[in-house]
Amino acid sequence: MKSLPISPDKPWLAPLAGYSDLPFRMLCRNRGCAVACTEMVSVKGLKYDGKGTKALLATCQEDAPLVVQLFGGEPQDYSDTMPQLIDEGHTFFDLNSGCPVKKVLKTGGGSALHLDPDRLVETAATMVKIAGEGHVGVKFRLGFMSGEDNYLEIARRLEDVGVAWLTMHPRYAKQMFSGKADWSKLAVLKQNVSVPVIGSGDLFTAEDAMECIRQTGIDGIMFARGALYDPAIFVRYLTLLDDPRCDSLPPFDLGKTMEEHIISTREFDGSKRSFRKIRSILPRYAKGMDGIRAIRTKLTSCEDWDELIAAAREVSTLTRERC
C-alpha cells in the first residue's frame, strides 16, 4: 500500500496507551475501523531494547493498514530505530507530539515538542527521510498552554518537510483532557494546509463525529475514548454517514463484545498479566449501564479465562441504550 485511506468514510482508531493492542485493534477493525494506530512506542525503548517495548508492535496480516506511533525527544533515536522497523515490515509512522502525560514530557517527547518547534520539525523531517514521503504523519495539539497557539506555524513547517497527514486534538497540553475540544480550530487548520487533516477529541458518539465533519470540513476522524466505551462506534458512524436520517443504528451487544475481546486476548497472550489487564478493561463497556456495579463485581471476581467468558455470556442478555 503506497498511501493510507484518509476520508470521512475511513474512520481511524487512535493510539491509545494501554489499550490499542492487537486484540483491541482487531475488535475495532471488525466493526468498521479503516486504519488503526499502535499504542505509542518509545524510540529510546526500541533503541535500548526496553522491556515490553517490542511487544507493542505485534501485528498480523489482517491488522492493516497499521500506523506505528513513535515518541521521544531526540531525532537521532528515530534514525537509530526506524530502519529496523521498516526491515520488519512496518510502513507507516506517526510522530506523537500531543501526549501531555508527565512521564512522556520528561523524555522531551509528546506535547513537550510544542515548546521546541524546531526539534519537532527536525524529528518529523528525519522520519520522512527514512520512511519516505507519504508514510509519516504527526499528531499534535493547539499548543502547550492557552495563549501559546503554535499549531499553524508547526503545521505549515511540517507540510514543507513532507509530512503526509496531520492529526490534531484541539486542546492545549496543559488541559490534558479537561474542558472541551475546540473543533473550530480544526476548521482553521484545514483552511491553512493542503495535506489531509484528521480530527480527534470529544468524539464520544457517532453523532459527534458527524457533527465534527460537518462543522470543520476536515478529511477524516479518529476515535479514541469513544471507541474504548464501544468499539461499534465505527459501524454506527458509517451507518449515519451513509444515511444521516437513519433512526435505527446497530445496537450495542455488550456480551458479544466482551466475549470476543476476551477470547482474542487469550489467543494473543494468555498470560496472567494479560488476564488481569482485560479483566480491568471490560467494565468500560458497561459504562452508564443500569447494574454496572454488579457487572463490575462479577467480572473483577473472575479468577481464570473460562470464568471470565462465562461472566461475559451472563451479561449478554443485558442491554443498554447508546446514542
Side-chain angles (χ1 to χ4, degrees):
M1 179 177 289
K2 293 184 178 180
S3 62
L4 288 171
I6 303 176
S7 60
D9 64 342
K10 301 294 182 183
W12 287 35
L13 171 67
L16 298 163
Y19 296 101
S20 53
D21 56 11
L22 178 58
F24 184 71
R25 295 198 303 268
M26 294 309 301
L27 198 69
C28 293
R29 289 188 187 280
N30 292 339
R31 290 159 175 77
C33 170
V35 179
C37 300
T38 66
E39 300 176 57
M40 59 181 183
V41 178
S42 166
V43 285
K44 200 165 287 292
L46 289 173
K47 186 173 180 177
Y48 296 106
D49 198 22
K51 183 179 180 181
T53 303
K54 278 284 189 181
L56 300 176
L57 297 166
T59 186
C60 64
Q61 186 175 357
E62 294 76 22
D63 185 33
L66 178 67
V67 178
V68 176
Q69 193 189 64
L70 301 172
F71 80 93
E74 298 299 328
Q76 185 59 48
D77 289 338
Y78 294 80
S79 296
D80 293 339
T81 56
M82 283 184 62
Q84 178 63 32
L85 294 177
I86 291 171
D87 287 345
E88 292 171 357
H90 297 290
T91 305
F92 298 104
F93 302 89
D94 187 76
L95 171 61
N96 183 322
S97 54
C99 181
V101 176
K102 284 185 178 180
K103 68 178 182 179
V104 174
L105 299 183
K106 287 180 179 178
T107 70
S111 54
L113 290 170
H114 272 281
L115 298 172
D116 190 349
D118 289 345
R119 185 158 50 88
L120 193 164
V121 174
E122 180 187 354
T123 302
T126 298
M127 295 174 70
V128 172
K129 183 177 179 180
I130 297 168
E133 291 197 10
H135 293 263
V136 175
V138 176
K139 192 169 192 282
F140 62 141
R141 289 192 172 222
L142 297 176
F144 196 77
M145 61 178 57
S146 180
E148 296 182 355
D149 299 49
N150 58 0
Y151 70 100
L152 282 182
E153 169 206 344
I154 288 170
R156 292 180 182 123
R157 294 180 63 185
L158 290 173
E159 185 175 13
D160 288 342
V161 299
V163 166
W165 70 90
L166 298 169
T167 305
M168 189 167 77
H169 183 135
R171 281 184 171 92
Y172 300 96
K174 280 292 188 179
Q175 282 183 272
M176 301 287 283
F177 297 98
S178 66
K180 289 186 66 176
D182 187 352
W183 291 348
S184 70
K185 300 295 179 63
L186 286 169
V188 174
L189 177 62
K190 174 60 183 171
Q191 293 163 7
N192 281 273
V193 295
S194 59
V195 296
V197 172
I198 300 170
S200 181
D202 291 359
L203 304 178
F204 297 114
T205 67
E207 289 85 351
D208 290 338
M210 289 287 290
E211 185 62 17
C212 185
I213 290 286
R214 187 192 69 79
Q215 288 185 20
T216 64
I218 55 176
D219 302 282
I221 54 94
M222 176 182 282
F223 288 114
R225 286 177 288 173
L228 285 182
Y229 298 134
D230 180 4
I233 195 170
F234 294 94
V235 70
R236 281 203 184 83
Y237 165 71
L238 291 171
T239 300
L240 277 181
L241 199 63
D242 183 60
D243 180 7
R245 293 176 293 182
C246 176
D247 58 3
S248 58
L249 295 178
F252 177 71
D253 192 327
L254 177 62
K256 182 179 179 182
T257 300
M258 286 183 173
E259 184 174 353
E260 184 179 337
H261 200 172
I262 295 165
I263 293 173
S264 179
T265 300
R266 181 172 63 176
E267 291 175 350
F268 172 62
D269 176 10
S271 67
K272 289 183 178 180
R273 178 181 177 278
S274 185
F275 173 79
R276 291 192 296 269
K277 175 183 174 182
I278 188 65
R279 188 178 60 180
S280 69
I281 288 174
L282 291 175
R284 279 182 173 269
Y285 295 140
K287 182 178 174 65
M289 178 181 178
D290 291 339
I292 184 175
R293 289 185 179 179
I295 292 173
R296 183 183 293 113
T297 299
K298 180 180 290 291
L299 292 168
T300 56
S301 65
C302 293
E303 296 295 334
D304 59 43
W305 293 99
D306 290 337
E307 282 187 24
L308 201 57
I309 292 172
R313 288 174 177 168
E314 282 186 43
V315 301
S316 66
T317 58
L318 300 174
T319 60
R320 63 172 165 174
E321 291 185 359
R322 289 259 189 169
C323 294

